[in-house]
Amino acid sequence: MHRSIATVSMSGTLRQKIEAIAAAGFDGIELFEPDFVHFSGSALALQRMASDHGLRIDLYQPFRDLEGMPTAHFRRSLARAEHKFALMKELGCPTLLVCSNTSPLSTGEPERAAAQLYEIAERAARYDIRIGYEALAWGRHVRRYRDAWKRVALANHSHLGLILDSFHTLSLQDDPTDIATLPGDKIFFLQMADAPQLQMDVLQWARHYRNFPGQGQLDCEYFFEQVLKSGYEGPLSLEIFNDQFRETPNRRTATDAMRSLLWLESRVRSRLETSGDHDRLWRQTATQAWLFKPPAVPVLNGVAFVEFAVDTAHAATLGTLLASLGFHLAGQHRSKDVQLYAQGDIRLVVNAEPDSFASQRFERQGGPGMCAIGLGTPLPDQAAARASALLSAAADTPRRPDELHIPAIVSPGGMRIHFVPTGAGTPGFEAADFDVATPSSGAATLSRSPRPGPLLKSLDHIALALPPDQLDSWVLFSRAVLGLEPGDSQELADPYGLVQSSSVCNDTRSVRMVMNVSSSRRTGVAHAVNASGGSGGLHHLAFACDDIFAAVAQLRASGTQFVPISPNYYEDLLARSDLDPALVGKMHSLGILFDQTPLGAFFHIYTPRFADRFFFEVVQRVGGYDGYGALNGAARLASEAQAADAASRDAVAR
Amino acid sequence: MHRSIATVSMSGTLRQKIEAIAAAGFDGIELFEPDFVHFSGSALALQRMASDHGLRIDLYQPFRDLEGMPTAHFRRSLARAEHKFALMKELGCPTLLVCSNTSPLSTGEPERAAAQLYEIAERAARYDIRIGYEALAWGRHVRRYRDAWKRVALANHSHLGLILDSFHTLSLQDDPTDIATLPGDKIFFLQMADAPQLQMDVLQWARHYRNFPGQGQLDCEYFFEQVLKSGYEGPLSLEIFNDQFRETPNRRTATDAMRSLLWLESRVRSRLETSGDHDRLWRQTATQAWLFKPPAVPVLNGVAFVEFAVDTAHAATLGTLLASLGFHLAGQHRSKDVQLYAQGDIRLVVNAEPDSFASQRFERQGGPGMCAIGLGTPLPDQAAARASALLSAAADTPRRPDELHIPAIVSPGGMRIHFVPTGAGTPGFEAADFDVATPSSGAATLSRSPRPGPLLKSLDHIALALPPDQLDSWVLFSRAVLGLEPGDSQELADPYGLVQSSSVCNDTRSVRMVMNVSSSRRTGVAHAVNASGGSGGLHHLAFACDDIFAAVAQLRASGTQFVPISPNYYEDLLARSDLDPALVGKMHSLGILFDQTPLGAFFHIYTPRFADRFFFEVVQRVGGYDGYGALNGAARLASEAQAADAASRDAVAR
């Protein structure tokens, strides 16, 4: 494919945009007119700059309010177009985007629009320029591709064709199926955009909330598939109006953009291969052969470990906290100042090695935090190869010969994701790297201070605190690189602002991640983001157990602290639920929170924050509950805020 | 009036909210249920806390999904209500808000709803509690007050009445006129909320974007007037769901809230007095007599001066810049290190006095900035008295006997607004405070370095850069305290994020202010906010002239720098406008920007930023143009970004 992106999709000066777009491997750009109007250089200078970066200027856009106008207005538009044609020749740009008219002066008769489109195409042809006509979702008369096509077909000019944009079709819940029946060579350009499902005016939605395919909730794959089925062989481009992208450093945006296209191509290639259409299209056209095909989506068997970056002092205090939560010291790294803690299937690595990635991360964060996640997979190298194909940097570190080869990649925000071999016959990472007694046996025998049996069985989910401009990056990374899919999403009230909590998980639910963002600078999430040095980091880890009442009773007995929950919470729970009052009484006495859906129930409890940063959660899922009790986060946050307020009053009083 | 506010309207713990609400002078609160559910103390403890702060708990809210339900569901709701009634008795709260049902299980027959409302009212009556039934704008069957009233009237129970909320009526563009015909004693509670006009799903709009009356675009005054005409004597309350308020320090929010109510009351009092209804209502009811009446809105005669806080070094460099812009040193303060610069009607005060308000401001900002604005008015003391009545702090400083008394108040963000006497027989502030030759004569004779005539005639507008959570505060302050009204509002693209530019002005347009906010942390506005120490400050000052071509030519000749504008801007202007190419050529050669509306045209040009902070603009208005050329800000910002980018590349290359 020839891959392109509109300059409006990212932040910076036009030169900075071009550099970022080229660095991400694009072939061309759509030049958004204001970017050129404010560009200090000439058209020729811009053409050279793009060319020097290996980029073509594929499209000049947008040209507004042309068709269906009274003759005098149309004549003025033609004069305006002549200016732009001359400019486009200097830019070496072959196609002008004309979007459907929004002017109240325009009329809806297809014949008038077609005649005027014919005339501008005729003028454009003199410059060897093509006109691409696009149905805007908020056009006055033309909002759907069928209506745009009707006018293009009526005009029937070699230099007039259609421009398609997934957002304009999917935002109106229009059916893209008929696109497959259009003549592919009359589609001059293809713009892809995704978006979250929002109930708002489509113009506002379009101008502020579009995002890259895979980051939103529109069915971009089906749309793209229909375009390919038409025989389309032109560029695959992205045109994204997004408030967040306008302020995100543009190298990240450009990487996300390319990752999005590669992922979209790979998904649609699979669809076409499955349906048998791929071979037919391959024979017909050249383009489809280039649909990107990365190594397969990894099978994930759960979180193999979570690694904390600490210094020596925090290694001790974190160890004490973990011990109070029922973890035992299960191993000491053969060559490094790294400890392994275990309980049930949970493995936590506490890394205080100087001059390591962990120590760099500790420095950057100015304190302890999560620095790496290990994901279990039968084919680690294939998982890493897929990540690399989808533009994730590799992060393999030099290892001693006796250390296990565990490939690693860099996540958005700079953490490491390790792919840890799992399956029969593969040594566990702890056996290979850690000094443990009997590596192949269970956790209890690994332990130096054995306990009767694990209270906590497995890692339920990893919750991240992210800066707002990283959420879309993480969603796309999770989907494209890791094969996780979006799940439950909630908005909850921190006493100092709103928090958006989104989740992704794999199909077996053995890997679940929650991503919290807050535009407020005063929330707990904002606090955690600050504590991560602004790059995002651990919000909390949730451990699953089979009997939370027994587990919490035992943990409390052994001195573990939990965030206190107001008695009013339980009185309200009694009032609003059909729960047995005795059960609510038990929850009250232990401080356990509750959530339910038609599928099942969720019991959970939070620890206070460790070192004023991340915390732990103990959870029990009942039935098919698939959420994260996110709304109860408000109870935790209010409790913490009240404790902090009381403490500061005490300090003042003293 | 008994004035109340819902606890959901502000940030913080419940205790902090109560303290802020009490400090702002409220009489009561609406207790938002989640605030109580998460409150660590008991109902009795909360009742005492409120009472200790002189607050009543006027309303418990919300109670959802009650009426029109199948019997089994309704029975469960009744049981839930019993829990809440018992709780409300402990809280000393007399009224429960029941909002119209949103459940798909509910049915629309008024009879069933009325019967169920009757039954809950009957239960409530046993606790001496009243049920207030409110039509939610997104209720399943009941969305308008008429439909809610129909059910209340049908039920006909002494303990059942209506709750009205301006947002729910005005967001649906429903007509509030008939409220005046309802029996006032069956309206149990009144909630006021304003909102910006947004094209979005009403639920999202309601949950995130409401604001205080005077901050939005709904006709709250007419709504409130109708409620008063009904004979309503209950509380006047605010229930505001606003993402920004959730994170704004709550003392500020509470002050804005009270200012909003006082202003609303004063506006509606004027309406009633004018219409003659006031006396009738006064005779009928006790409440209306308490409608707040502040001193009259000040007549403003323009910006008398703008004051800069500088140190000695910046006093010199700013003086040089002002001289290059055609200003002359017109006076030296009698007792302080303060200079007065003048040109036409413009007076700029440059304050480098140590241990002064200006020096504090300079310290806080870590650099030069605007610290005060002087507004000309015939009755300064009355203007100050109004400000004080509307909760603006006075900021009068000790003065020597020979200094002029100029009352001052504190603006949002901590600048000072002085009210400067104007009119026949009043000495100008410069005559009183500054050492000038012939104080009563014109600027030219005041000058120590006289020029042939002023290039710049008057101050066109003051543009502020504000943190996003201060915009609503400034809008309300401008309207309520200064009597300015909102005008043109634009969104423009900085290369590093979007900027919202809103304006206020007086009716004669002699005082115009522009307020710029940006949620991005990388824009020029964010930069200016940071440079103000986070409190907001000067973005730029715009000076008006009669012939911008002559003025800019002369200023350029005398060495004044302006932000360079791309040649592409003028080529595009030629293409899209009907302007005479010769005129565009002249603009191009001088670097002047252009905007127009059907009312008139606007020519303007920007200087680079002074000390990397604020800048100046020269403007010429033609005809009835009433905007600020805000969209051309994008040309300035792109030019600055390209210059900065080029400079950093040069630095790297060197």
Side-chain angles (χ1 to χ4, degrees):
Chain A
M1 304 277 343
H2 179 93
R3 301 184 187 98
S4 190
I5 185 169
T7 54
V8 74
S9 313
M10 57 188 63
S11 70
T13 65
L14 187 52
R15 173 190 284 272
Q16 291 165 344
K17 293 179 188 203
I18 282 173
E19 289 172 344
I21 289 167
F26 281 89
D27 306 298
I29 62 169
E30 300 178 29
L31 183 58
F32 181 57
E33 185 169 75
D35 277 323
F36 178 70
V37 166
H38 299 145
F39 176 64
S40 59
S42 68
L44 205 59
L46 178 59
Q47 186 274 323
R48 286 205 192 112
M49 185 192 293
S51 172
D52 286 349
H53 286 82
L55 295 172
R56 291 210 309 242
I57 300 177
D58 294 317
L59 189 74
Y60 188 88
Q61 56 113 319
F63 193 91
R64 299 184 208 274
D65 297 341
L66 174 90
E67 87 288 8
M69 289 296 262
T71 305
H73 288 80
F74 175 67
R75 291 290 141 206
R76 279 208 288 277
S77 286
L78 271 189
R80 173 163 58 106
E82 292 276 356
H83 277 271
K84 302 304 173 186
F85 294 151
L87 167 64
M88 288 169 66
K89 287 315 284 179
E90 293 182 61
L91 291 167
C93 175
T95 310
L96 176 69
L97 182 152
V98 171
C99 53
S100 63
N101 205 323
T102 63
S103 165
L105 296 176
S106 66
T107 62
E109 317 105 68
E111 294 71 19
R112 171 182 287 263
Q116 295 182 342
L117 287 168
Y118 183 93
E119 194 163 345
I120 194 175
E122 189 65 20
R123 298 279 189 106
R126 295 178 203 160
Y127 296 83
D128 198 20
I129 282 172
R130 305 198 304 173
I131 302 294
Y133 180 56
E134 176 186 60
L136 282 187
W138 55 94
R140 186 123 184 138
H141 302 288
V142 174
R143 298 177 192 178
R144 291 163 195 265
Y145 66 87
R146 282 176 218 81
D147 296 320
W149 171 243
K150 183 172 185 177
R151 285 151 179 82
V152 168
L154 259 179
N156 190 24
H157 192 289
S158 61
H159 283 64
L160 177 67
L162 215 51
I163 291 185
L164 296 175
D165 184 317
S166 58
F167 179 84
H168 293 302
T169 295
L170 300 175
S171 64
L172 297 180
Q173 300 185 292
D174 191 13
D175 182 358
T177 306
D178 290 345
I179 291 173
T181 68
L182 299 177
D185 60 355
K186 291 301 280 185
I187 301 173
F188 282 1
F189 205 80
L190 170 62
Q191 297 173 322
M192 295 297 308
D194 203 344
Q197 281 294 1
L198 298 173
Q199 298 301 317
M200 58 166 61
D201 174 60
V202 70
L203 176 57
Q204 289 303 310
W205 190 18
R207 291 259 170 93
H208 300 284
Y209 297 99
R210 290 191 229 187
N211 53 19
F212 296 131
Q215 294 179 332
Q217 295 166 277
L218 304 182
D219 193 350
C220 293
E221 294 173 37
Y222 184 74
F223 184 92
F224 183 36
E225 188 182 3
Q226 305 319 305
V227 177
L228 290 176
K229 283 184 175 172
S230 77
Y232 175 72
E233 298 184 63
L236 171 61
S237 190
L238 293 160
E239 189 208 22
I240 314 293
F241 291 79
N242 181 300
D243 289 0
Q244 203 62 256
F245 292 4
R246 287 178 182 273
E247 58 194 85
T248 301
N250 57 25
R251 296 287 169 136
R252 170 139 48 91
T253 307
T255 302
D256 283 348
M258 181 54 84
R259 176 177 288 154
S260 165
L261 288 186
L262 297 178
W263 174 78
L264 177 67
E265 288 176 36
S266 73
R267 297 274 286 203
V268 173
R269 186 184 175 113
S270 298
R271 294 170 76 120
L272 291 171
E273 282 173 353
T274 313
S275 72
D277 274 323
H278 184 260
D279 291 347
R280 179 179 65 77
L281 287 168
W282 193 333
R283 278 191 304 276
Q284 280 178 1
T285 70
T287 311
Q288 282 66 27
W290 304 340
L291 283 180
F292 186 71
K293 184 171 188 171
V297 172
V299 172
L300 298 180
N301 300 325
V303 176
F305 67 85
V306 167
E307 182 172 339
F308 293 93
V310 296
D311 60 5
T312 315
H314 286 102
T317 50
L318 182 56
T320 304
L321 172 58
L322 293 176
S324 92
L325 282 166
F327 286 85
H328 56 277
L329 182 64
Q332 171 68 45
H333 196 280
R334 294 227 173 82
S335 57
K336 296 172 185 165
D337 186 2
V338 181
Q339 282 85 41
L340 174 69
Y341 289 85
Q343 180 171 199
D345 295 334
I346 315 162
R347 298 293 178 274
L348 303 179
V349 175
V350 177
N351 189 337
E353 175 74 4
D355 300 323
S356 66
F357 171 69
S359 69
Q360 287 163 21
R361 195 83 190 169
F362 180 88
E363 289 300 325
R364 176 168 176 184
Q365 299 177 346
M370 180 170 71
C371 62
I373 297 170
L375 297 176
T377 177
L379 299 170
D381 286 324
Q382 183 186 298
R386 176 183 177 84
S388 170
L390 287 162
L391 308 183
S392 286
D396 294 323
T397 46
R399 289 185 169 256
R400 298 191 338 189
D402 60 339
E403 285 183 335
L404 186 67
H405 169 63
I406 302 179
I409 61 167
V410 180
S411 79
M415 283 191 310
R416 292 199 176 160
I417 310 273
H418 297 264
F419 294 110
V420 181
T422 56
T426 8
F429 78 98
E430 62 264 54
D433 290 353
F434 286 88
D435 182 19
V436 291
T438 47
S440 60
S441 56
T445 56
L446 275 177
S447 167
R448 289 170 176 184
S449 55
R451 282 170 177 269
L455 294 172
L456 310 178
K457 294 288 174 67
S458 59
L459 198 143
D460 187 84
H461 62 272
I462 299 172
L464 303 173
L466 300 177
D469 70 354
Q470 258 192 37
L471 178 62
D472 277 339
S473 293
W474 265 98
V475 167
L476 181 61
F477 172 80
S478 303
R479 294 185 83 171
V481 175
L482 305 179
L484 307 177
E485 284 298 320
D488 197 38
S489 177
Q490 299 276 356
E491 193 171 64
L492 68 120
D494 181 301
Y496 302 103
L498 290 180
V499 171
Q500 184 68 37
S501 184
S502 312
S503 69
V504 290
C505 60
N506 65 353
D507 51 0
T508 64
R509 305 296 191 266
S510 67
V511 176
R512 292 177 179 270
M513 303 218 313
V514 171
M515 296 166 299
N516 295 319
V517 298
S518 173
S519 64
S520 166
R521 301 176 195 195
R522 300 176 71 210
T523 53
V525 168
H527 185 83
V529 169
N530 282 343
S532 73
S535 61
L538 182 62
H539 187 262
H540 70 273
L541 286 186
F543 304 124
C545 65
D546 294 336
D547 181 351
I548 194 170
F549 293 93
V552 171
Q554 193 169 330
L555 290 171
R556 282 196 181 275
S558 64
T560 306
Q561 300 288 311
F562 294 101
V563 171
I565 300 303
S566 168
N568 306 328
Y569 175 89
Y570 298 99
E571 167 57 25
D572 180 64
L573 185 57
L574 269 180
R576 68 183 159 86
S577 74
D578 294 326
L579 293 176
D580 178 356
L583 180 67
V584 174
K586 239 169 104 185
M587 292 167 56
H588 184 172
S589 67
L590 290 166
I592 291 169
L593 295 154
F594 180 76
D595 190 24
Q596 66 184 340
T597 64
L599 297 173
F602 191 63
F603 296 89
H604 60 141
I605 192 167
Y606 305 104
T607 72
R609 280 189 261 190
F610 173 74
D612 203 23
R613 286 159 178 260
F614 53 82
F615 59 91
F616 299 105
E617 182 182 7
V618 176
V619 314
Q620 182 184 353
R621 292 178 185 274
V622 178
Y625 182 90
D626 204 20
Y628 299 87
L631 292 181
N632 283 326
R636 175 181 61 79
L637 290 158
S639 175
E640 288 183 343
Q642 288 172 88
D645 185 36
S648 78
R649 282 165 206 270
D650 279 357
V652 169
R654 249 186 252 118
Chain B
M1 303 273 352
H2 178 94
R3 302 184 188 99
S4 190
I5 185 169
T7 55
V8 75
S9 314
M10 57 187 63
S11 71
T13 65
L14 187 52
R15 172 190 286 271
Q16 291 165 344
K17 293 178 187 200
I18 283 173
E19 289 171 346
I21 291 167
F26 281 90
D27 305 297
I29 62 170
E30 301 179 31
L31 183 57
F32 182 55
E33 185 169 75
D35 277 323
F36 178 70
V37 166
H38 299 145
F39 176 63
S40 59
S42 67
L44 206 59
L46 179 59
Q47 186 275 322
R48 284 205 196 112
M49 187 193 292
S51 171
D52 286 350
H53 286 83
L55 295 172
R56 291 212 308 243
I57 301 177
D58 293 317
L59 189 73
Y60 188 89
Q61 58 112 319
F63 193 90
R64 298 185 209 274
D65 295 342
L66 174 90
E67 87 289 10
M69 289 296 261
T71 305
H73 289 80
F74 175 67
R75 292 289 143 207
R76 280 207 289 278
S77 286
L78 271 189
R80 175 163 56 105
E82 292 275 355
H83 276 272
K84 303 302 174 189
F85 294 151
L87 167 63
M88 289 168 67
K89 286 315 285 180
E90 292 183 59
L91 290 168
C93 175
T95 309
L96 177 68
L97 182 153
V98 171
C99 52
S100 63
N101 206 322
T102 63
S103 167
L105 297 177
S106 65
T107 61
E109 317 105 67
E111 293 72 19
R112 172 182 286 263
Q116 295 182 343
L117 287 168
Y118 183 93
E119 194 163 344
I120 195 177
E122 189 64 21
R123 297 280 189 107
R126 294 180 205 160
Y127 296 83
D128 199 21
I129 282 172
R130 305 198 304 173
I131 302 294
Y133 180 57
E134 177 186 58
L136 282 185
W138 56 92
R140 186 123 184 137
H141 303 286
V142 173
R143 298 178 191 175
R144 291 163 194 266
Y145 67 86
R146 283 175 218 80
D147 297 320
W149 170 243
K150 184 172 184 178
R151 284 151 180 82
V152 168
L154 260 178
N156 191 24
H157 192 289
S158 61
H159 284 65
L160 177 68
L162 215 51
I163 291 185
L164 296 174
D165 183 318
S166 58
F167 180 84
H168 293 301
T169 295
L170 301 174
S171 63
L172 298 179
Q173 300 184 291
D174 191 15
D175 182 357
T177 306
D178 289 345
I179 292 173
T181 68
L182 299 177
D185 60 355
K186 291 301 279 184
I187 302 173
F188 282 1
F189 205 80
L190 170 62
Q191 298 173 322
M192 295 299 306
D194 203 343
Q197 280 294 358
L198 299 173
Q199 299 299 317
M200 60 166 60
D201 174 60
V202 70
L203 176 57
Q204 289 303 310
W205 189 18
R207 290 259 170 95
H208 300 284
Y209 297 99
R210 290 191 227 186
N211 53 18
F212 296 131
Q215 294 179 331
Q217 295 167 278
L218 303 182
D219 192 350
C220 292
E221 294 173 38
Y222 184 72
F223 184 92
F224 183 36
E225 188 182 2
Q226 305 320 304
V227 177
L228 291 176
K229 283 184 175 173
S230 78
Y232 175 72
E233 297 184 63
L236 171 61
S237 190
L238 294 159
E239 189 208 22
I240 314 293
F241 290 79
N242 181 300
D243 290 1
Q244 203 62 256
F245 291 4
R246 288 177 181 273
E247 57 194 84
T248 301
N250 56 25
R251 296 287 170 135
R252 170 140 49 91
T253 307
T255 302
D256 283 350
M258 181 54 83
R259 176 177 289 155
S260 164
L261 288 186
L262 297 178
W263 174 76
L264 177 68
E265 288 175 36
S266 73
R267 297 274 283 205
V268 173
R269 185 184 175 114
S270 298
R271 293 170 79 121
L272 291 172
E273 282 174 352
T274 313
S275 71
D277 275 322
H278 184 261
D279 291 347
R280 180 179 62 79
L281 287 168
W282 192 334
R283 276 193 303 275
Q284 278 176 4
T285 71
T287 312
Q288 282 66 27
W290 305 338
L291 282 180
F292 185 71
K293 185 171 188 170
V297 172
V299 171
L300 299 179
N301 300 326
V303 176
F305 67 85
V306 167
E307 182 171 340
F308 293 94
V310 296
D311 59 5
T312 314
H314 286 102
T317 50
L318 182 56
T320 305
L321 173 59
L322 292 176
S324 92
L325 283 166
F327 286 84
H328 55 277
L329 181 64
Q332 171 69 44
H333 195 280
R334 296 226 172 82
S335 57
K336 297 174 186 164
D337 186 2
V338 181
Q339 283 85 41
L340 174 69
Y341 290 84
Q343 180 171 196
D345 294 334
I346 315 163
R347 297 293 177 275
L348 303 179
V349 175
V350 177
N351 189 336
E353 174 74 4
D355 301 323
S356 66
F357 171 69
S359 69
Q360 287 162 21
R361 195 84 189 168
F362 181 88
E363 289 301 325
R364 174 166 177 185
Q365 298 177 347
M370 179 171 72
C371 63
I373 297 170
L375 297 176
T377 178
L379 300 169
D381 286 324
Q382 181 185 300
R386 176 182 176 84
S388 170
L390 288 162
L391 309 181
S392 286
D396 295 324
T397 45
R399 288 184 168 257
R400 298 190 339 189
D402 60 339
E403 287 183 334
L404 186 66
H405 169 63
I406 302 180
I409 61 167
V410 180
S411 79
M415 285 192 309
R416 293 200 175 161
I417 310 272
H418 298 262
F419 294 110
V420 181
T422 56
T426 8
F429 78 100
E430 62 265 55
D433 290 352
F434 287 88
D435 182 19
V436 291
T438 47
S440 60
S441 57
T445 55
L446 276 176
S447 167
R448 288 168 178 186
S449 55
R451 283 169 176 271
L455 295 172
L456 311 179
K457 294 289 175 64
S458 59
L459 199 143
D460 185 83
H461 63 274
I462 300 172
L464 304 173
L466 300 177
D469 70 355
Q470 257 191 37
L471 178 60
D472 277 340
S473 293
W474 264 96
V475 168
L476 181 61
F477 171 80
S478 303
R479 294 185 85 171
V481 175
L482 304 179
L484 307 177
E485 283 299 319
D488 198 36
S489 177
Q490 300 276 353
E491 192 171 63
L492 68 121
D494 181 301
Y496 302 104
L498 291 178
V499 170
Q500 184 67 38
S501 185
S502 313
S503 69
V504 291
C505 60
N506 65 352
D507 51 359
T508 64
R509 303 298 190 265
S510 67
V511 176
R512 292 177 178 271
M513 302 218 318
V514 171
M515 296 166 298
N516 294 318
V517 298
S518 173
S519 64
S520 166
R521 301 176 196 195
R522 300 176 69 210
T523 52
V525 168
H527 185 85
V529 170
N530 283 342
S532 72
S535 60
L538 183 62
H539 187 262
H540 70 272
L541 285 187
F543 305 124
C545 65
D546 293 338
D547 181 350
I548 194 168
F549 293 93
V552 171
Q554 191 168 333
L555 290 171
R556 281 196 181 276
S558 64
T560 305
Q561 299 289 311
F562 294 100
V563 171
I565 299 303
S566 168
N568 306 328
Y569 174 89
Y570 299 99
E571 167 58 25
D572 180 65
L573 185 57
L574 270 180
R576 67 183 161 86
S577 73
D578 295 326
L579 293 177
D580 178 356
L583 179 66
V584 174
K586 236 170 105 185
M587 290 166 58
H588 185 171
S589 68
L590 290 166
I592 291 170
L593 296 154
F594 180 74
D595 190 25
Q596 65 183 340
T597 64
L599 297 173
F602 190 64
F603 297 88
H604 60 140
I605 192 167
Y606 305 104
T607 72
R609 281 189 261 189
F610 173 74
D612 203 25
R613 285 161 178 259
F614 52 83
F615 58 92
F616 300 103
E617 183 182 7
V618 177
V619 313
Q620 181 184 353
R621 294 177 184 273
V622 179
Y625 182 90
D626 203 19
Y628 301 87
L631 292 180
N632 284 325
R636 174 182 60 80
L637 290 159
S639 176
E640 287 183 343
Q642 288 172 89
D645 186 36
S648 78
R649 283 165 205 269
D650 279 357
V652 168
R654 249 186 253 117

